Amino acid sequence: GRPLVATWTLTIRANARVERRRFDTLERALAELEARVDELAGRAKENPAGTRLRQYGPEQQVVARIELAGPERRLAGTRAGIDVHGDGSTEAYLGRVRRQTVDASKGEPAVKALRRVLQDR
């Protein structure tokens, strides 16, 4: 049979579309996550999300979510990701159901904060 390969799944939810990609290493998955976050955040900054619901500003709307799921046997099936807000800002998190925001150092991009936390595990 085929050897078991640890795969990382990257799920990109944006513009009412869902795309999934698989990677054999955490580093490759994080590189793609960073590229997609940069692309989606850039688009949001150029064209901020508007809404008819006045109580929510662009900085409160999630226009894209990029989720990373690790192999079940490694890191207890790690779940993590980045939310891209309507104003182009980003926020990293760990978990899926009980999401925990990843604290970024002053000036540290969300992707770098997520990378640091995942690689320290």
Side-chain angles (χ1 to χ4, degrees):
R2 271 180 31 195
L4 292 175
V5 176
T7 57
W8 292 85
T9 303
L10 194 64
T11 304
I12 300 111
R13 291 181 174 83
N15 305 319
R17 292 182 58 213
V18 177
E19 176 187 346
R20 285 188 179 76
R21 303 205 46 211
R22 296 193 189 286
F23 299 89
D24 58 355
T25 68
L26 173 60
E27 190 52 45
R28 286 184 180 151
L30 284 170
E32 180 66 13
L33 179 140
E34 185 168 13
R36 296 305 295 271
V37 166
D38 289 348
E39 170 196 339
L40 293 164
R43 274 197 226 151
K45 283 178 188 165
E46 289 172 9
N47 192 8
T51 181
R52 292 186 185 139
L53 303 172
R54 289 187 191 147
Q55 68 264 34
Y56 297 108
E59 72 284 354
Q60 294 172 300
Q61 297 177 53
V62 174
V63 295
R65 176 167 287 155
I66 299 98
E67 293 178 319
L68 180 63
E72 292 303 318
R73 64 186 177 279
R74 178 157 186 255
L75 305 177
T78 296
R79 298 276 185 166
I82 303 276
D83 283 345
V84 178
H85 297 272
D87 64 352
S89 63
T90 56
E91 183 176 58
Y93 63 87
L94 292 176
R96 188 169 186 186
V97 176
R98 291 184 179 201
R99 292 171 20 143
Q100 172 186 354
T101 301
V102 173
D103 292 325
S105 304
K106 187 171 182 159
E108 181 183 35
V111 173
K112 297 258 188 293
L114 185 64
R115 181 184 297 269
R116 173 177 44 80
V117 170
L118 288 175
Q119 290 177 333
D120 285 349
R121 292 181 129 198

